[in-house]
Amino acid sequence: MIDLLRKTLYMGLGALYMTKEKAEQLVEDLVKKGEVSTDEAKTLISELIQKGEQQKEELAQFIRGEMEKRRFDLGLVTKKDLERLEQRIKELEERLNPPVT
């Protein structure tokens, strides 16, 4: 039963949205029904939370990668790019217009 539950929850985005409270409630219900032992419940809660955090990070990395691809495809500049250009312009202006002494 536990293996089936793990496989079901790990599939798709189910574990992604699994908060600690939800995981504890789900496992507590299984303990009440006698489908898992208390020791198994502790392990299962820990695994659910860990898997959810892992999937959140994987999703965040995927989104960052896709955003970077789209930024590049559209020819958009980043804030760092803009700041670097502003600094370069400032330096060129200072060279062209030295302070009068």
Side-chain angles (χ1 to χ4, degrees), residues 3 18-19 30-31 36 39 43 46 49-50 52-53 56-57 62 64 69 73 75 88 92 96 100-101:
D3 288 334
M18 182 66 63
T19 64
L30 292 174
V31 170
V36 295
D39 290 337
T43 302
S46 177
I49 293 168
Q50 181 181 6
E53 291 300 317
K56 284 180 190 177
E57 182 57 34
F62 173 77
R64 280 193 291 273
K69 287 178 193 175
D73 291 346
R88 189 168 173 201
L92 289 171
L96 291 173
V100 178
T101 56

Side-chain angles (χ1 to χ4, degrees), residues 1-100:
M1 177 63 185
I2 285 189
D3 288 334
L4 176 61
L5 177 64
R6 281 186 186 135
K7 289 176 186 176
T8 302
L9 290 175
Y10 289 166
M11 290 178 62
L13 298 176
L16 177 62
Y17 295 106
M18 182 66 63
T19 64
K20 182 179 183 202
E21 291 78 22
K22 286 182 182 178
E24 288 172 347
Q25 183 60 47
L26 175 68
V27 174
E28 185 179 314
D29 291 345
L30 292 174
V31 170
K32 286 179 184 177
K33 292 178 184 177
E35 295 179 12
V36 295
S37 71
T38 306
D39 290 337
E40 291 172 323
K42 291 176 186 177
T43 302
L44 186 56
I45 289 170
S46 177
E47 288 177 8
L48 289 172
I49 293 168
Q50 181 181 6
K51 187 67 174 178
E53 291 300 317
Q54 178 185 348
Q55 286 185 345
K56 284 180 190 177
E57 182 57 34
E58 289 171 4
L59 180 59
Q61 288 176 0
F62 173 77
I63 291 171
R64 280 193 291 273
E66 289 300 308
M67 293 296 291
E68 183 63 22
K69 287 178 193 175
R70 298 305 164 250
R71 183 192 68 77
F72 182 77
D73 291 346
L74 294 172
L76 302 175
V77 296
T78 65
K79 185 176 180 180
K80 277 187 175 182
D81 293 337
L82 185 58
E83 289 170 352
R84 199 171 24 250
L85 287 173
E86 288 172 341
Q87 180 62 35
R88 189 168 173 201
I89 290 169
K90 181 180 176 184
E91 290 169 3
L92 289 171
E93 286 175 338
E94 289 172 356
R95 278 196 221 161
L96 291 173
N97 303 313
V100 178

